[in-house]
Structures are given as structure tokens and as C-alpha cells.
Amino acid sequence: TAASGGGLVAYADSAAESASEPSQNAPKKKVLVLGTGWAGTSFLKNLDCSQYEVKVISPRNYFAFTPLLPSVTCGTVEPRSIIEPIRRMFEKKSKDVTFYEAECFKIDASKKTVHCRSAVGTNLDGNGDFMLDYDYLVVALGATVNTFNTPGVLEHCHFLKEVEDAQKIRRSVIDCFEKASLPNISEEEKRKTLHFVVIGGGPTGVEFAAELHDFLVEDLVKLYPAIQEFVKITIIQSGEHILNMFDERIAAFAEEKFQRDGIEVATGFRVVRVSDDLITMKSKSVGEEVSVPYGMAVWSAGIGTRPVIMDFMQQIGQTNRRALATNEWLRVRECEGVYAIGDCATVSQRKIMDDISMVFKMADKDNSGTLTLKEIYDVLEDICLRYPQVELYMKSMHMLDIADLIKGAIGDAHKESMVVDIEEFKKALSHVDSQVKSAPATAQVASQQGNYLAECFNKMDKCKEQPEGPLRMTGGSGRHFFRPFRYKHLGQFAPLGGEQAAAELPGDWVSMGHSTQWLWYSVYASKQVSWRTRVLVVSDWTRRFVFGRDSSR
Ligand code: FAD
Ligand code: MG
Ligand code: MG
Ligand code: MG
Ligand code: MG
């Protein structure tokens, strides 16, 4: 029954369920964080580390500001400017936070342990393996590249995921220019060497192409005047348009700008094979294969699952998925004390139709078997908190009120009384679940999740009393509870080169052009994780304005 904690929130196995009474002498609970990317560091920054014994594992002892990685590929920003040492980030918390530079290769949820491997041998037998145990595990391992098993991609393409990747790309671009400048090179060979191909027309691919184009026209043409006519950039995109996760106006603006810039955009082509000098792609409409010679290729066509996550999903029976499924409180389903945030995870939102009879019963306070509008209004807030799709659906249908939804179901005959039975209630909400969307794999989502989870951890013992979420339906009010995680989209940018950018901001607001680029500069400067990196990034930008980019290797 409602009073015994059932009802609308009975499904919410929340963060606090295993929290125990904090006592003076009880040892602190062990929190183990895997990964120091956007999700992991945002969790650590917001966690009250003094409440826990915190350990952090990552094979890289720094955080990388990934949105500026494309700028590193052409030397607009230096690699050192976008990374922040982990130990420095948590200097003030160093009493409570221990960092180990190692890779986690196995999570054993049944034993509550994690197996790690350091690159340096530490044991007597010469390897660097060790094991850690935890009470709470925060999996924030991010994602890896996805080649979709396309032959030759791993061997011949560059990726743009890590700082080292960006540095390799930078060297490789310069290599191509130096190679094409050597004597005794045929025109055909020059053309091939200076053909830069980007596979994947998402934000990363597009930004890289734009960055490369700027590097060419602003710096390299002056330094390599003899070969500038042989340079070509191509973006290969399997969909109809590039930037298809953005508003169509932005995609159109980007395509037009690229056309003016001479960047070729090949849409509707899927790359099927890559050899050391040819990229073979297949037209989706005609089905015919074409091969193009290239000098350098960057693959940015999707994200994949890390092996350690794959192995863990297998253990807990989550198969055939890209990412770890969590509940709305970011806890891994069927897995005690394990949370997952960022690119390695997706929230699976409960469907309201799965719970519809329960929701109906909860709302029907007088057990009449029917709901009045007032009964619905009384629980509407809780319903929207637990099933955000209800609100999204009403918004998408331009409905101001749930009464509109109900009217649609009961028809004109009963309009006066506005009383619904279970069948009509079901009918009214039957399309609502179509609005369930998973959040994109972005830094914005990862950091909001890290932040949210830290808040839950900070409040864990306060919430112990009634952890399952909104309580008004279960009779209590004003007590603490965990809201389910909800992503708040603050908009996104697409830098397009030539000091122009496009932005999509909340409220269907789209902006494009030079002023948007300035907005981009200020937003990205303000988002830097420390004053040190902020100063470095801004001075890199200034240096580039004044002196151009550095074209040495
Ligand atoms: P990551 O940030 O990737 O962090 C994963 C962490 O886990 C890293 O510290 C890694 O070293 C560590 N790790 C990996 N394997 C192991 C292991 N076996 N054991 C222990 N630790 C491990 N998003 C935006 O919102 N806006 C942008 O403009 C934007 N631009 C981007 C540009 C590029 C080039 C790229 C690649 C991504 C961009 N993103 C952007 C996406 C954003 O970077 C990711 O969504 C975000 O990094 C996800 O955070 P995360 O913490 O889940 O993963
Ligand atoms: Mg992380
Ligand atoms: Mg990162
Ligand atoms: Mg995610
Ligand atoms: Mg009733």
C-alpha cells in the first residue's frame, strides 16, 4: 500500500537504500571512482569527500577538456593548455582522496572488487596488478571509438578522442605538407598526399574539418605556396546532412559555408574499407562503390563500448547494449552499490504505461475506481517528476494543461463531469512514452550526472529515512528525498571556422555567424576547469590571432 512505501515510487531503488547510520567510530564507506573525465571529475569536485574514503583510478593523471581537442589538432591551442593534473584538481581534498594511475580491467560486482593494472610493474613478480574493494562504485569510464568493424580503419585512420590523438593528427598534417613539398613528387601524388578526409559529419568531424581549413588558408598557404592548389578536404557522412543532431537551419548554414570554403561534403556515403592509400565508400542510394586516394584520414563516426564495460555488462546480464543501463537515480540496475555516469552509461527511463494501474490507484485517493480532475491535479507534480515524458509530451502537443489530454480521451459526452476510469486514463496517456529520449553522449550530460550523483552521496544519510523519491503520494511531505536525475540542456555550439560558429540554445533559439563565435570564445573560456588553464587557453587564442599557428612538428 501507499503508506508502506509502495505506490508511484516503489520502483525507485534509489541511491540511499544501502546507506547506514553514520556513527563516530564506524569506518567511512569506501567510494571508488573509475575515470577522471567529465563525469568522474564533476562527481569528485562536488562530493563532500570528508564523509567517505575516496579512491580514484585512471590511466591518465589528468583531466582533458575535450571540446577544445579539435583546436589542438592544428595548433590553435596547445595540448598543455587543455589538461589539468588530477592531483592538482583535488589538492585541497588530498587528505580524503587517493589517486592511483592505473587502468581498471575487471569489475567484479559480486565480490565488490575492482581489478586494476598499472603500466609500471610494482609487484614482486614484475606486474602492476592490484585489487581494490568498495562499498560504492562510480563507473565513469567514458566511451571508446567505434569503427563498426570497418576493415582497415584501426590500421590507417586517425581518431580524435584523446590528447595524444590530437597531437598525432597535428604531426601527420604537417608530415603531409612536407612530403608533398619534396622534389620528384608527381602532381598526382601531391594531390593524394594533400587530400584530407574526415569520416563522420557529427560535431567533432565538422569542427576538425573547419579547424583544418582555417589552418590551411590562414597559415599553410603562406608557408607552402607551391602546393596550395593541391589541397583538398572532404567530409564523408552516411546521413543526408552533416550535423544532423542540430537544428536544420544550422546544418544548412554549415553546408553552405563549407561549400563556399571548398570543403567537399559527401553525404549519403558509407565507408566500407580503408587501405593505406584508398578509402572505399558505398553510395547508400545507388549502392555503387567508389574509391578515393587520400593522404590522411580522421575517423569520427560514432562511439563504442570499452572492453571492461562490455565484460561487466556480460556479468550482470546486460547484453546487446552499447552502454550500461541505470535507473533514473543513476544506479546500475540489479547491482548493489554500483553507479554509472557519463558516456559509458544511459539512463533507462521507466515507461508510465508499465505502471499505469499503479499510478491510477495512487491517484484515486477515495478508491472510487474513477479519477476526478482534482485527483489528477493532486498527483500531477509527482507524476511529472517520476515520468518526465508526461511533461514533454504535453509540451510537444502544445497543451497547457493535463485537462486537454484527458478531454482527448473521454470525448465530448462526459466533458462536463471530467471523470475518467482506468481505460480512459490509459488512453489519455498512451502516447506519452514516445517522448522518452536518452540523453546524448556529451560533456554537458556527463558533468551534470557527476554533479547530481555527488549531491545524492552528500545527502545519503539524510535521505535514509525515506529514500525513494517524491513522497507526497506516499503521505509524507517536506522530508528529504532524491529527485530522479534530469538532464537540463543548455544548448550546444558548432564552430565552423573562419571565426564563425553556430549555436542552438534553449527555447528554439538559433544563432549563427561571427558574433556567435565570440559567444563561443567566452563560453569556452568560462568553462575552463581552473584559472591556470583559462589563462593558457586565452593566451593561445591571442597568440594565434597575433602570430598565427605554429607549423613546426
Ligand atoms: P571521458 O571524459 O572520456 O572520461 C573517461 C575517463 O576514464 C578518462 O579519464 C579515461 O582516462 C578513463 N579511463 C578510460 N579507460 C579506463 C580504464 N580502463 N580504467 C580506468 N580509467 C579509464 N561534449 C560536449 O558537451 N561539448 C563539446 O563541445 C564536445 N566536444 C568534444 C570534442 C571531442 C573531440 C570529443 C572526443 C568529445 C567531445 N565532447 C563534447 C564529448 C565529451 O567529451 C564526452 O561526452 C565526455 O568526455 C564524457 O565524459 P565521461 O566522463 O563519460 O568520459
Ligand atoms: Mg569520467
Ligand atoms: Mg574528458
Ligand atoms: Mg550517457
Ligand atoms: Mg476517485
Side-chain angles (χ1 to χ4, degrees), residues 176-207:
C176 290
F177 274 86
E178 293 299 349
K179 184 176 167 196
S181 306
L182 291 173
N184 310 328
I185 289 234
S186 71
E187 242 181 52
E188 193 194 337
E189 184 73 4
K190 282 182 190 169
R191 241 178 253 291
K192 167 185 168 296
T193 308
L194 295 175
H195 186 201
F196 300 96
V197 180
V198 180
I199 302 144
T204 302
V206 163
E207 191 179 344

PDB file of all heavy atoms in Angstrom, residues 176-207:
ATOM      1  N   CYS A 176      52.253  15.543 -44.105  1.00  0.00           N
ATOM      2  CA  CYS A 176      51.697  15.522 -45.463  1.00  0.00           C
ATOM      3  C   CYS A 176      52.202  16.724 -46.260  1.00  0.00           C
ATOM      4  O   CYS A 176      52.564  16.586 -47.428  1.00  0.00           O
ATOM      5  CB  CYS A 176      50.173  15.533 -45.418  1.00  0.00           C
ATOM      6  SG  CYS A 176      49.463  14.000 -44.808  1.00  0.00           S
ATOM      7  N   PHE A 177      52.213  17.894 -45.629  1.00  0.00           N
ATOM      8  CA  PHE A 177      52.675  19.088 -46.337  1.00  0.00           C
ATOM      9  C   PHE A 177      54.150  18.998 -46.681  1.00  0.00           C
ATOM     10  O   PHE A 177      54.560  19.349 -47.789  1.00  0.00           O
ATOM     11  CB  PHE A 177      52.378  20.349 -45.509  1.00  0.00           C
ATOM     12  CG  PHE A 177      50.994  20.868 -45.760  1.00  0.00           C
ATOM     13  CD1 PHE A 177      49.911  20.365 -45.053  1.00  0.00           C
ATOM     14  CD2 PHE A 177      50.773  21.826 -46.732  1.00  0.00           C
ATOM     15  CE1 PHE A 177      48.635  20.820 -45.307  1.00  0.00           C
ATOM     16  CE2 PHE A 177      49.486  22.286 -46.989  1.00  0.00           C
ATOM     17  CZ  PHE A 177      48.410  21.782 -46.274  1.00  0.00           C
ATOM     18  N   GLU A 178      54.953  18.519 -45.742  1.00  0.00           N
ATOM     19  CA  GLU A 178      56.385  18.399 -46.027  1.00  0.00           C
ATOM     20  C   GLU A 178      56.634  17.361 -47.134  1.00  0.00           C
ATOM     21  O   GLU A 178      57.442  17.565 -48.015  1.00  0.00           O
ATOM     22  CB  GLU A 178      57.178  18.041 -44.767  1.00  0.00           C
ATOM     23  CG  GLU A 178      57.211  19.139 -43.697  1.00  0.00           C
ATOM     24  CD  GLU A 178      57.868  20.446 -44.179  1.00  0.00           C
ATOM     25  OE1 GLU A 178      58.491  20.467 -45.261  1.00  0.00           O
ATOM     26  OE2 GLU A 178      57.736  21.465 -43.455  1.00  0.00           O
ATOM     27  N   LYS A 179      55.889  16.277 -47.051  1.00  0.00           N
ATOM     28  CA  LYS A 179      56.060  15.229 -48.053  1.00  0.00           C
ATOM     29  C   LYS A 179      55.701  15.751 -49.449  1.00  0.00           C
ATOM     30  O   LYS A 179      56.449  15.537 -50.408  1.00  0.00           O
ATOM     31  CB  LYS A 179      55.175  14.028 -47.690  1.00  0.00           C
ATOM     32  CG  LYS A 179      55.359  12.847 -48.617  1.00  0.00           C
ATOM     33  CD  LYS A 179      54.531  11.651 -48.160  1.00  0.00           C
ATOM     34  CE  LYS A 179      54.479  10.599 -49.252  1.00  0.00           C
ATOM     35  NZ  LYS A 179      53.424   9.606 -49.035  1.00  0.00           N
ATOM     36  N   ALA A 180      54.605  16.467 -49.535  1.00  0.00           N
ATOM     37  CA  ALA A 180      54.158  16.975 -50.832  1.00  0.00           C
ATOM     38  C   ALA A 180      55.087  18.065 -51.362  1.00  0.00           C
ATOM     39  O   ALA A 180      55.033  18.418 -52.535  1.00  0.00           O
ATOM     40  CB  ALA A 180      52.727  17.491 -50.728  1.00  0.00           C
ATOM     41  N   SER A 181      55.933  18.605 -50.497  1.00  0.00           N
ATOM     42  CA  SER A 181      56.853  19.667 -50.946  1.00  0.00           C
ATOM     43  C   SER A 181      58.176  19.125 -51.457  1.00  0.00           C
ATOM     44  O   SER A 181      58.994  19.869 -51.963  1.00  0.00           O
ATOM     45  CB  SER A 181      57.166  20.618 -49.778  1.00  0.00           C
ATOM     46  OG  SER A 181      55.991  21.098 -49.214  1.00  0.00           O
ATOM     47  N   LEU A 182      58.402  17.826 -51.253  1.00  0.00           N
ATOM     48  CA  LEU A 182      59.678  17.253 -51.666  1.00  0.00           C
ATOM     49  C   LEU A 182      59.803  17.259 -53.191  1.00  0.00           C
ATOM     50  O   LEU A 182      58.802  17.249 -53.899  1.00  0.00           O
ATOM     51  CB  LEU A 182      59.799  15.814 -51.142  1.00  0.00           C
ATOM     52  CG  LEU A 182      59.947  15.668 -49.625  1.00  0.00           C
ATOM     53  CD1 LEU A 182      59.875  14.198 -49.229  1.00  0.00           C
ATOM     54  CD2 LEU A 182      61.244  16.290 -49.131  1.00  0.00           C
ATOM     55  N   PRO A 183      61.062  17.269 -53.673  1.00  0.00           N
ATOM     56  CA  PRO A 183      61.224  17.215 -55.134  1.00  0.00           C
ATOM     57  C   PRO A 183      60.852  15.824 -55.656  1.00  0.00           C
ATOM     58  O   PRO A 183      60.710  14.882 -54.859  1.00  0.00           O
ATOM     59  CB  PRO A 183      62.712  17.493 -55.326  1.00  0.00           C
ATOM     60  CG  PRO A 183      63.358  17.086 -54.057  1.00  0.00           C
ATOM     61  CD  PRO A 183      62.353  17.322 -52.968  1.00  0.00           C
ATOM     62  N   ASN A 184      60.713  15.707 -56.930  1.00  0.00           N
ATOM     63  CA  ASN A 184      60.420  14.428 -57.590  1.00  0.00           C
ATOM     64  C   ASN A 184      59.083  13.821 -57.175  1.00  0.00           C
ATOM     65  O   ASN A 184      58.915  12.608 -57.182  1.00  0.00           O
ATOM     66  CB  ASN A 184      61.500  13.363 -57.324  1.00  0.00           C
ATOM     67  CG  ASN A 184      62.887  13.896 -57.604  1.00  0.00           C
ATOM     68  OD1 ASN A 184      63.063  14.741 -58.489  1.00  0.00           O
ATOM     69  ND2 ASN A 184      63.852  13.447 -56.839  1.00  0.00           N
ATOM     70  N   ILE A 185      58.152  14.649 -56.741  1.00  0.00           N
ATOM     71  CA  ILE A 185      56.835  14.091 -56.410  1.00  0.00           C
ATOM     72  C   ILE A 185      55.867  14.492 -57.506  1.00  0.00           C
ATOM     73  O   ILE A 185      55.802  15.661 -57.875  1.00  0.00           O
ATOM     74  CB  ILE A 185      56.375  14.630 -55.028  1.00  0.00           C
ATOM     75  CG1 ILE A 185      57.237  13.995 -53.938  1.00  0.00           C
ATOM     76  CG2 ILE A 185      54.905  14.403 -54.815  1.00  0.00           C
ATOM     77  CD1 ILE A 185      56.475  13.307 -52.854  1.00  0.00           C
ATOM     78  N   SER A 186      55.188  13.496 -58.033  1.00  0.00           N
ATOM     79  CA  SER A 186      54.281  13.782 -59.144  1.00  0.00           C
ATOM     80  C   SER A 186      53.087  14.586 -58.657  1.00  0.00           C
ATOM     81  O   SER A 186      52.773  14.590 -57.472  1.00  0.00           O
ATOM     82  CB  SER A 186      53.799  12.480 -59.780  1.00  0.00           C
ATOM     83  OG  SER A 186      52.907  11.847 -58.887  1.00  0.00           O
ATOM     84  N   GLU A 187      52.430  15.236 -59.614  1.00  0.00           N
ATOM     85  CA  GLU A 187      51.260  16.019 -59.263  1.00  0.00           C
ATOM     86  C   GLU A 187      50.183  15.146 -58.656  1.00  0.00           C
ATOM     87  O   GLU A 187      49.518  15.506 -57.685  1.00  0.00           O
ATOM     88  CB  GLU A 187      50.707  16.692 -60.526  1.00  0.00           C
ATOM     89  CG  GLU A 187      50.760  18.182 -60.408  1.00  0.00           C
ATOM     90  CD  GLU A 187      50.189  18.867 -61.629  1.00  0.00           C
ATOM     91  OE1 GLU A 187      49.055  18.529 -62.012  1.00  0.00           O
ATOM     92  OE2 GLU A 187      50.898  19.736 -62.172  1.00  0.00           O
ATOM     93  N   GLU A 188      50.053  13.975 -59.223  1.00  0.00           N
ATOM     94  CA  GLU A 188      49.040  13.056 -58.730  1.00  0.00           C
ATOM     95  C   GLU A 188      49.317  12.667 -57.283  1.00  0.00           C
ATOM     96  O   GLU A 188      48.423  12.613 -56.434  1.00  0.00           O
ATOM     97  CB  GLU A 188      49.049  11.818 -59.635  1.00  0.00           C
ATOM     98  CG  GLU A 188      47.860  10.931 -59.448  1.00  0.00           C
ATOM     99  CD  GLU A 188      48.074   9.562 -60.091  1.00  0.00           C
ATOM    100  OE1 GLU A 188      48.911   9.460 -61.011  1.00  0.00           O
ATOM    101  OE2 GLU A 188      47.400   8.619 -59.648  1.00  0.00           O
ATOM    102  N   GLU A 189      50.583  12.420 -57.024  1.00  0.00           N
ATOM    103  CA  GLU A 189      50.992  12.057 -55.664  1.00  0.00           C
ATOM    104  C   GLU A 189      50.745  13.212 -54.686  1.00  0.00           C
ATOM    105  O   GLU A 189      50.328  13.020 -53.547  1.00  0.00           O
ATOM    106  CB  GLU A 189      52.477  11.660 -55.704  1.00  0.00           C
ATOM    107  CG  GLU A 189      53.038  11.156 -54.397  1.00  0.00           C
ATOM    108  CD  GLU A 189      52.555   9.743 -54.024  1.00  0.00           C
ATOM    109  OE1 GLU A 189      51.832   9.106 -54.835  1.00  0.00           O
ATOM    110  OE2 GLU A 189      52.896   9.294 -52.933  1.00  0.00           O
ATOM    111  N   LYS A 190      51.015  14.442 -55.176  1.00  0.00           N
ATOM    112  CA  LYS A 190      50.781  15.613 -54.329  1.00  0.00           C
ATOM    113  C   LYS A 190      49.308  15.716 -53.968  1.00  0.00           C
ATOM    114  O   LYS A 190      48.933  15.971 -52.830  1.00  0.00           O
ATOM    115  CB  LYS A 190      51.205  16.896 -55.049  1.00  0.00           C
ATOM    116  CG  LYS A 190      52.680  17.105 -55.052  1.00  0.00           C
ATOM    117  CD  LYS A 190      53.045  18.414 -55.729  1.00  0.00           C
ATOM    118  CE  LYS A 190      54.561  18.452 -55.911  1.00  0.00           C
ATOM    119  NZ  LYS A 190      55.005  19.525 -56.762  1.00  0.00           N
ATOM    120  N   ARG A 191      48.488  15.524 -54.984  1.00  0.00           N
ATOM    121  CA  ARG A 191      47.041  15.604 -54.778  1.00  0.00           C
ATOM    122  C   ARG A 191      46.569  14.578 -53.747  1.00  0.00           C
ATOM    123  O   ARG A 191      45.767  14.858 -52.865  1.00  0.00           O
ATOM    124  CB  ARG A 191      46.319  15.363 -56.109  1.00  0.00           C
ATOM    125  CG  ARG A 191      45.488  16.527 -56.561  1.00  0.00           C
ATOM    126  CD  ARG A 191      44.841  16.253 -57.907  1.00  0.00           C
ATOM    127  NE  ARG A 191      45.474  17.022 -58.970  1.00  0.00           N
ATOM    128  CZ  ARG A 191      45.380  18.350 -59.090  1.00  0.00           C
ATOM    129  NH1 ARG A 191      44.692  19.053 -58.223  1.00  0.00           N
ATOM    130  NH2 ARG A 191      45.993  18.981 -60.065  1.00  0.00           N
ATOM    131  N   LYS A 192      47.105  13.386 -53.871  1.00  0.00           N
ATOM    132  CA  LYS A 192      46.725  12.313 -52.950  1.00  0.00           C
ATOM    133  C   LYS A 192      47.202  12.667 -51.530  1.00  0.00           C
ATOM    134  O   LYS A 192      46.422  12.603 -50.567  1.00  0.00           O
ATOM    135  CB  LYS A 192      47.373  11.007 -53.408  1.00  0.00           C
ATOM    136  CG  LYS A 192      47.319   9.898 -52.379  1.00  0.00           C
ATOM    137  CD  LYS A 192      48.091   8.674 -52.867  1.00  0.00           C
ATOM    138  CE  LYS A 192      48.326   7.651 -51.789  1.00  0.00           C
ATOM    139  NZ  LYS A 192      49.154   8.031 -50.671  1.00  0.00           N
ATOM    140  N   THR A 193      48.447  13.063 -51.408  1.00  0.00           N
ATOM    141  CA  THR A 193      49.011  13.348 -50.089  1.00  0.00           C
ATOM    142  C   THR A 193      48.285  14.482 -49.391  1.00  0.00           C
ATOM    143  O   THR A 193      48.148  14.498 -48.169  1.00  0.00           O
ATOM    144  CB  THR A 193      50.511  13.706 -50.240  1.00  0.00           C
ATOM    145  OG1 THR A 193      51.128  12.678 -50.989  1.00  0.00           O
ATOM    146  CG2 THR A 193      51.178  13.847 -48.893  1.00  0.00           C
ATOM    147  N   LEU A 194      47.799  15.442 -50.176  1.00  0.00           N
ATOM    148  CA  LEU A 194      47.152  16.597 -49.568  1.00  0.00           C
ATOM    149  C   LEU A 194      45.629  16.474 -49.554  1.00  0.00           C
ATOM    150  O   LEU A 194      44.928  17.462 -49.389  1.00  0.00           O
ATOM    151  CB  LEU A 194      47.587  17.881 -50.277  1.00  0.00           C
ATOM    152  CG  LEU A 194      49.075  18.186 -50.116  1.00  0.00           C
ATOM    153  CD1 LEU A 194      49.465  19.402 -50.952  1.00  0.00           C
ATOM    154  CD2 LEU A 194      49.449  18.417 -48.660  1.00  0.00           C
ATOM    155  N   HIS A 195      45.152  15.251 -49.718  1.00  0.00           N
ATOM    156  CA  HIS A 195      43.706  15.039 -49.589  1.00  0.00           C
ATOM    157  C   HIS A 195      43.407  14.598 -48.155  1.00  0.00           C
ATOM    158  O   HIS A 195      43.774  13.507 -47.733  1.00  0.00           O
ATOM    159  CB  HIS A 195      43.232  13.981 -50.593  1.00  0.00           C
ATOM    160  CG  HIS A 195      41.743  13.833 -50.606  1.00  0.00           C
ATOM    161  ND1 HIS A 195      41.101  12.726 -51.078  1.00  0.00           N
ATOM    162  CD2 HIS A 195      40.756  14.673 -50.187  1.00  0.00           C
ATOM    163  CE1 HIS A 195      39.784  12.879 -50.952  1.00  0.00           C
ATOM    164  NE2 HIS A 195      39.567  14.058 -50.409  1.00  0.00           N
ATOM    165  N   PHE A 196      42.761  15.471 -47.405  1.00  0.00           N
ATOM    166  CA  PHE A 196      42.445  15.178 -46.014  1.00  0.00           C
ATOM    167  C   PHE A 196      40.982  14.762 -45.936  1.00  0.00           C
ATOM    168  O   PHE A 196      40.104  15.499 -46.383  1.00  0.00           O
ATOM    169  CB  PHE A 196      42.700  16.410 -45.143  1.00  0.00           C
ATOM    170  CG  PHE A 196      44.129  16.857 -45.192  1.00  0.00           C
ATOM    171  CD1 PHE A 196      44.536  17.866 -46.064  1.00  0.00           C
ATOM    172  CD2 PHE A 196      45.082  16.250 -44.388  1.00  0.00           C
ATOM    173  CE1 PHE A 196      45.856  18.268 -46.131  1.00  0.00           C
ATOM    174  CE2 PHE A 196      46.414  16.647 -44.437  1.00  0.00           C
ATOM    175  CZ  PHE A 196      46.802  17.661 -45.316  1.00  0.00           C
ATOM    176  N   VAL A 197      40.756  13.575 -45.383  1.00  0.00           N
ATOM    177  CA  VAL A 197      39.385  13.054 -45.353  1.00  0.00           C
ATOM    178  C   VAL A 197      38.910  12.913 -43.909  1.00  0.00           C
ATOM    179  O   VAL A 197      39.631  12.389 -43.051  1.00  0.00           O
ATOM    180  CB  VAL A 197      39.304  11.689 -46.070  1.00  0.00           C
ATOM    181  CG1 VAL A 197      37.885  11.148 -46.043  1.00  0.00           C
ATOM    182  CG2 VAL A 197      39.792  11.825 -47.505  1.00  0.00           C
ATOM    183  N   VAL A 198      37.720  13.418 -43.660  1.00  0.00           N
ATOM    184  CA  VAL A 198      37.108  13.283 -42.348  1.00  0.00           C
ATOM    185  C   VAL A 198      35.907  12.360 -42.502  1.00  0.00           C
ATOM    186  O   VAL A 198      35.025  12.632 -43.313  1.00  0.00           O
ATOM    187  CB  VAL A 198      36.642  14.656 -41.812  1.00  0.00           C
ATOM    188  CG1 VAL A 198      36.009  14.506 -40.436  1.00  0.00           C
ATOM    189  CG2 VAL A 198      37.793  15.647 -41.785  1.00  0.00           C
ATOM    190  N   ILE A 199      35.897  11.281 -41.748  1.00  0.00           N
ATOM    191  CA  ILE A 199      34.773  10.353 -41.856  1.00  0.00           C
ATOM    192  C   ILE A 199      33.855  10.547 -40.656  1.00  0.00           C
ATOM    193  O   ILE A 199      34.249  10.314 -39.513  1.00  0.00           O
ATOM    194  CB  ILE A 199      35.270   8.895 -41.961  1.00  0.00           C
ATOM    195  CG1 ILE A 199      36.186   8.776 -43.172  1.00  0.00           C
ATOM    196  CG2 ILE A 199      34.082   7.928 -42.087  1.00  0.00           C
ATOM    197  CD1 ILE A 199      37.333   7.852 -42.977  1.00  0.00           C
ATOM    198  N   GLY A 200      32.657  11.016 -40.914  1.00  0.00           N
ATOM    199  CA  GLY A 200      31.712  11.314 -39.843  1.00  0.00           C
ATOM    200  C   GLY A 200      31.412  12.801 -39.796  1.00  0.00           C
ATOM    201  O   GLY A 200      32.301  13.617 -39.579  1.00  0.00           O
ATOM    202  N   GLY A 201      30.169  13.164 -40.056  1.00  0.00           N
ATOM    203  CA  GLY A 201      29.790  14.582 -40.113  1.00  0.00           C
ATOM    204  C   GLY A 201      29.108  15.064 -38.848  1.00  0.00           C
ATOM    205  O   GLY A 201      28.255  15.941 -38.891  1.00  0.00           O
ATOM    206  N   GLY A 202      29.489  14.493 -37.717  1.00  0.00           N
ATOM    207  CA  GLY A 202      28.981  14.979 -36.432  1.00  0.00           C
ATOM    208  C   GLY A 202      29.772  16.200 -35.987  1.00  0.00           C
ATOM    209  O   GLY A 202      30.632  16.686 -36.722  1.00  0.00           O
ATOM    210  N   PRO A 203      29.480  16.712 -34.796  1.00  0.00           N
ATOM    211  CA  PRO A 203      30.144  17.935 -34.348  1.00  0.00           C
ATOM    212  C   PRO A 203      31.670  17.840 -34.341  1.00  0.00           C
ATOM    213  O   PRO A 203      32.349  18.779 -34.739  1.00  0.00           O
ATOM    214  CB  PRO A 203      29.629  18.137 -32.922  1.00  0.00           C
ATOM    215  CG  PRO A 203      28.508  17.199 -32.735  1.00  0.00           C
ATOM    216  CD  PRO A 203      28.514  16.193 -33.824  1.00  0.00           C
ATOM    217  N   THR A 204      32.214  16.692 -33.927  1.00  0.00           N
ATOM    218  CA  THR A 204      33.677  16.578 -33.864  1.00  0.00           C
ATOM    219  C   THR A 204      34.305  16.602 -35.247  1.00  0.00           C
ATOM    220  O   THR A 204      35.260  17.334 -35.499  1.00  0.00           O
ATOM    221  CB  THR A 204      34.084  15.282 -33.135  1.00  0.00           C
ATOM    222  OG1 THR A 204      33.509  15.292 -31.836  1.00  0.00           O
ATOM    223  CG2 THR A 204      35.576  15.166 -33.024  1.00  0.00           C
ATOM    224  N   GLY A 205      33.761  15.826 -36.171  1.00  0.00           N
ATOM    225  CA  GLY A 205      34.289  15.773 -37.535  1.00  0.00           C
ATOM    226  C   GLY A 205      34.201  17.131 -38.211  1.00  0.00           C
ATOM    227  O   GLY A 205      35.142  17.596 -38.841  1.00  0.00           O
ATOM    228  N   VAL A 206      33.055  17.775 -38.048  1.00  0.00           N
ATOM    229  CA  VAL A 206      32.830  19.074 -38.677  1.00  0.00           C
ATOM    230  C   VAL A 206      33.783  20.127 -38.102  1.00  0.00           C
ATOM    231  O   VAL A 206      34.400  20.900 -38.831  1.00  0.00           O
ATOM    232  CB  VAL A 206      31.357  19.507 -38.486  1.00  0.00           C
ATOM    233  CG1 VAL A 206      31.180  20.985 -38.750  1.00  0.00           C
ATOM    234  CG2 VAL A 206      30.464  18.684 -39.409  1.00  0.00           C
ATOM    235  N   GLU A 207      33.935  20.099 -36.794  1.00  0.00           N
ATOM    236  CA  GLU A 207      34.814  21.089 -36.187  1.00  0.00           C
ATOM    237  C   GLU A 207      36.267  20.866 -36.603  1.00  0.00           C
ATOM    238  O   GLU A 207      37.002  21.811 -36.877  1.00  0.00           O
ATOM    239  CB  GLU A 207      34.688  21.042 -34.658  1.00  0.00           C
ATOM    240  CG  GLU A 207      35.374  22.227 -34.023  1.00  0.00           C
ATOM    241  CD  GLU A 207      35.259  22.245 -32.509  1.00  0.00           C
ATOM    242  OE1 GLU A 207      34.395  21.517 -31.966  1.00  0.00           O
ATOM    243  OE2 GLU A 207      36.035  22.983 -31.888  1.00  0.00           O
TER     244      GLU A 207
END
